[in-house]
Amino acid sequence: MDKAPQVTLQTTANYFLEGLNEIGIEYLFCNFGTDYAPLIEEMARWRGEGRKFPKPLLCPHENTAVNMAVGYAMATGRGQAVLVHVDAGTSNSAMAMHDACRSRIPVLLMAGKAPYTVRGELPGSRDTYVHFIQEPFDQGAIVRNYVKWEWTLPTGVITKEVLRRAHTVAHSDPKGPVYLMVPRETLAQTWDAAAVRSFPEERYGAAAAGAADADAVDALAERLLAAKYPVLITSYSGRNARAPGVIEELARLAGIRVFEFNPVHLNISRASPCFGGMMPGKHVAEADVGLLVDVDVPWIPSNTRENPQTWWAHIDVDVVKERFPIWGFPSNLRLAGDSVLILTQLIAALKAKATPAFRDAAAKRLEAMAREHGERRAEAAKLAADRGARGAVNTHYLCAELAKALGEDDILVNESIRNAGVVYRQITRTRPGTSLGFGGGGLGCSGGIALGAKLARPGATVVQLVGDGSFYFGNPSSVYAVSQQYQIPIFTVVLDNSGWSAVKESTLRMYPDGAAKSLDEFGARLAPDVEFAKICEAAGGYGEKLTDPDVVPAAIQRCLAAVRAGRPAVLHARIPPL
């Protein structure tokens, strides 16, 4: 007599946790709601059985959760998962998803959906008021502009396939965020374990960008061999830790000035003689051959003179910029692929073709660039020599003193907006992964990014530099609550000018002699006496308000001592007001 088939029933939530394990998720940055009851119950069951699953970190605000995932991925290259609550949590995540999209960071954002059954027809049916009001007609539309892929899990039997698909899309070049919605009834479904398949990475994994056509690389090499004034502009090549070394090797070989315009990552050692700074400026017009390498906006056309005779090559994982409705920068040759592989091809081609005349010309350019670099460093030191006045600490001086206190492997997260250039000029980062920015326009990201980077690199001191306007946007009470609860200490320096400099400067650019200037009314002044350090203190951290330039070094050391002792710290610096 045949035995009846053995059936092992488990909930979708169980297969969901198994699937997250299978795709390599390490952390779940969570802001739970009523939609996650089946998953919370399953997590508790797994804990009771001693089974491992991605570590949940509870974040009081979704902006913190998504940006922690962003920071972790920037530091490791490994995208993590974020769990938020239906349409409300998705809305709170949208700003961070905008930045993740523009920075090409893999993030798996997941949200519940309001239950679709009303009268208890299925486990997980509606049982509270919010289940009736948290169901929009198109929840995915909230973040659809900012994701590579979005879907709703229709049934538990394909849970692992859907998670693998989401992970594969997020990690395929060009990388980026994805969005998955999961109804509560679906999480509560039960399925036979034999029916739920796994989808291993070796058969269903991500696709990586590759090298370029050899003939195209040779054509570019020929241009560089004849170049008199070559330049290279980049922003996010440094997402690959090998890129800074490769870019510097190419720059030294061919005598190329390298600029980082709005850098998302460190793309070349900023102590290199080839590093030309953040603003390509006049060099755009002076260049006869230019390379755009992993960059979205290499310069601002309205205030940068261009040369129609310049020959431009564009090497980029996203060379077409198909997510930009309009994108107007020149490229005579476009090479889509992995910039490290393509630049390595280019270096090999140049070495094979290099003549003594080429090497001599490149060496002379390198000497000139070294002199320019030294002049910029001398000018930076001169600017930092002025300490400022009481209540108006000079930002150059403050950043120069901070630079002295940091180690080579410590990480700078820069969201100082109009002071970003000052920060980069005074705090010279040289190693891959030690300088993080953001590619989007959603302010308030740096606190979460700093937490994620510190989680990934616990041995590094992570310093967040942020303006007071962006500090407000970053939901700092959530940031320091997470920092304290999970022992992820970060050091925040708030550059407080009591306003939005970007708003004022934008108005003056359009109306340099307008009414706003004559009345000194720019709609940009914020409350002048807010005690930002108290927000960190409320979470058990260390806070200090800095008004006296004479105590800058000591104040920095007090904050660093707190961080090294395991507490977050905020240094609230009053800089010249708006």
Side-chain angles (χ1 to χ4, degrees):
M1 186 175 180
D2 293 337
K3 291 184 178 180
Q6 296 298 306
V7 175
T8 303
L9 293 177
Q10 299 284 0
T11 65
T12 298
N14 174 81
Y15 301 122
F16 187 83
L17 292 178
E18 289 182 355
L20 291 173
N21 281 341
E22 290 177 10
I23 62 175
I25 298 296
E26 300 156 80
Y27 290 97
L28 301 172
F29 301 102
C30 303
N31 190 285
F32 287 130
T34 60
D35 40 352
Y36 286 113
L39 185 60
I40 292 168
E41 175 67 15
E42 196 63 33
M43 287 178 171
R45 187 175 73 84
W46 278 44
R47 286 192 189 95
E49 295 174 358
R51 300 172 67 185
K52 292 185 178 181
F53 57 93
K55 181 178 179 179
L57 275 70
L58 303 185
C59 301
H61 196 281
E62 294 86 351
N63 183 63
T64 307
V66 178
N67 280 311
M68 284 188 73
V70 168
Y72 193 90
M74 293 179 84
T76 65
R78 302 190 299 273
Q80 301 302 305
V82 181
L83 297 172
V84 301
H85 177 46
V86 294
D87 60 338
T90 303
S91 297
N92 272 348
S93 304
M95 188 75 78
M97 291 293 282
H98 159 85
D99 286 339
C101 170
R102 292 307 188 196
S103 301
R104 296 173 184 79
I105 305 298
V107 174
L108 171 52
L109 176 66
M110 294 178 285
K113 293 192 74 174
Y116 52 82
T117 55
V118 176
R119 296 174 176 82
E121 296 92 338
L122 293 171
S125 185
R126 296 182 183 186
D127 60 13
T128 189
Y129 170 77
V130 293
H131 291 165
F132 289 84
I133 61 167
Q134 290 181 327
E135 184 181 22
F137 288 108
D138 189 357
Q139 183 173 311
I142 298 170
V143 292
R144 190 170 295 135
N145 279 318
Y146 312 131
V147 297
K148 294 177 65 180
W149 172 95
E150 58 97 3
W151 208 41
T152 299
L153 182 65
T155 171
V157 75
I158 59 171
T159 298
K160 294 183 180 182
E161 182 173 13
V162 171
L163 287 173
R164 173 59 69 188
R165 173 64 177 162
H167 188 268
T168 292
V169 173
H171 285 82
S172 292
D173 287 325
K175 297 178 175 65
V178 294
Y179 181 55
L180 175 64
M181 292 162 283
V182 186
R184 193 163 80 154
E185 291 96 333
T186 304
L187 280 174
Q189 288 175 357
T190 57
W191 289 91
D192 181 11
V196 182
R197 289 182 52 197
S198 293
F199 291 79
E201 182 178 10
E202 58 267 23
R203 290 176 64 85
Y204 300 94
D213 175 75
D215 290 341
V217 173
D218 281 346
L220 174 53
E222 292 292 343
R223 290 281 180 171
L224 282 174
L225 288 168
K228 303 291 191 249
Y229 202 103
V231 301
L232 186 155
I233 306 172
T234 184
S235 172
Y236 55 89
S237 297
R239 70 191 185 283
N240 184 330
R242 293 172 53 207
V246 171
I247 289 175
E248 176 143 12
E249 182 182 358
L250 172 65
R252 287 179 178 271
L253 173 63
I256 302 174
R257 285 176 176 81
V258 178
F259 300 91
E260 293 182 298
F261 193 74
N262 192 49
V264 179
H265 303 267
L266 182 141
N267 304 284
I268 185 173
S269 167
R270 293 168 189 161
S272 168
C274 302
F275 177 57
M278 302 297 170
M279 304 294 290
K282 66 176 185 177
H283 303 280
V284 173
E286 293 179 1
D288 58 346
V289 175
L291 280 70
L292 306 180
V293 181
D294 287 331
V295 61
D296 286 331
V297 183
W299 61 82
I300 306 301
S302 62
N303 59 25
T304 304
R305 188 169 65 89
E306 300 179 17
N307 182 352
Q309 302 305 313
T310 306
W311 189 90
W312 290 96
H314 188 181
I315 300 168
D316 205 315
V317 72
D318 182 14
V319 76
V320 176
K321 311 297 180 188
E322 63 184 26
R323 297 188 71 90
F324 288 67
I326 187 168
W327 190 84
F329 295 94
S331 51
N332 301 85
L333 176 66
R334 292 182 178 181
L335 302 177
D338 183 323
S339 60
V340 168
L341 296 179
I342 295 172
L343 293 180
T344 300
Q345 289 178 280
L346 180 58
I347 290 168
L350 285 171
K351 287 180 176 178
K353 297 171 180 287
T355 63
F358 165 75
R359 292 187 181 276
D360 182 61
K364 289 179 179 177
R365 289 196 293 269
L366 191 60
E367 290 175 4
M369 289 186 289
R371 288 194 297 271
E372 294 170 8
H373 185 83
E375 291 167 0
R376 286 195 304 275
R377 295 309 307 153
E379 178 64 20
K382 183 178 179 181
L383 290 168
D386 175 14
R387 295 184 175 188
R390 180 173 288 275
V393 178
N394 179 12
T395 311
H396 283 276
Y397 169 63
L398 172 60
C399 291
E401 290 300 314
L402 180 59
K404 295 175 185 177
L406 298 180
E408 289 185 322
D409 291 319
D410 293 336
I411 298 172
L412 174 71
V413 182
N414 190 355
E415 194 186 10
S416 52
I417 311 306
R418 302 312 298 170
N419 279 299
V422 175
V423 171
Y424 286 132
R425 191 169 195 177
Q426 298 294 345
I427 305 177
T428 302
R429 298 282 82 195
T430 62
R431 294 189 176 181
T434 60
S435 177
L436 303 178
F438 63 107
L443 302 185
C445 61
S446 57
I449 290 175
L451 287 174
K454 178 66 174 179
L455 184 66
R457 299 262 302 277
T461 297
V462 179
V463 182
Q464 171 200 11
L465 280 110
V466 61
D468 55 310
S470 294
F471 189 72
Y472 281 116
F473 290 136
N475 309 103
S477 57
S478 173
V479 168
Y480 300 115
V482 172
S483 176
Q484 191 71 336
Q485 181 175 358
Y486 297 105
Q487 293 296 290
I488 312 172
I490 61 172
F491 176 21
T492 300
V493 180
V494 181
L495 303 175
D496 177 16
N497 63 1
S498 298
W500 296 321
S501 293
V503 174
K504 178 179 179 179
E505 292 174 17
S506 174
T507 305
L508 287 172
R509 285 196 301 271
M510 287 192 69
Y511 306 101
D513 299 307
K517 180 181 179 181
S518 64
L519 297 175
D520 193 25
E521 288 289 345
F522 297 96
R525 289 192 184 89
L526 300 175
D529 298 316
V530 176
E531 299 292 336
F532 295 120
K534 300 295 185 185
I535 300 174
C536 186
E537 290 178 359
Y542 176 78
E544 183 169 342
K545 188 172 184 177
L546 176 64
T547 59
D548 183 356
D550 291 340
V551 303
V552 166
I556 290 170
Q557 289 302 324
R558 284 190 290 270
C559 289
L560 286 172
V563 170
R564 289 163 184 157
R567 300 167 64 199
V570 167
L571 183 61
H572 173 190
R574 292 288 295 170
I575 63 174
L578 189 68

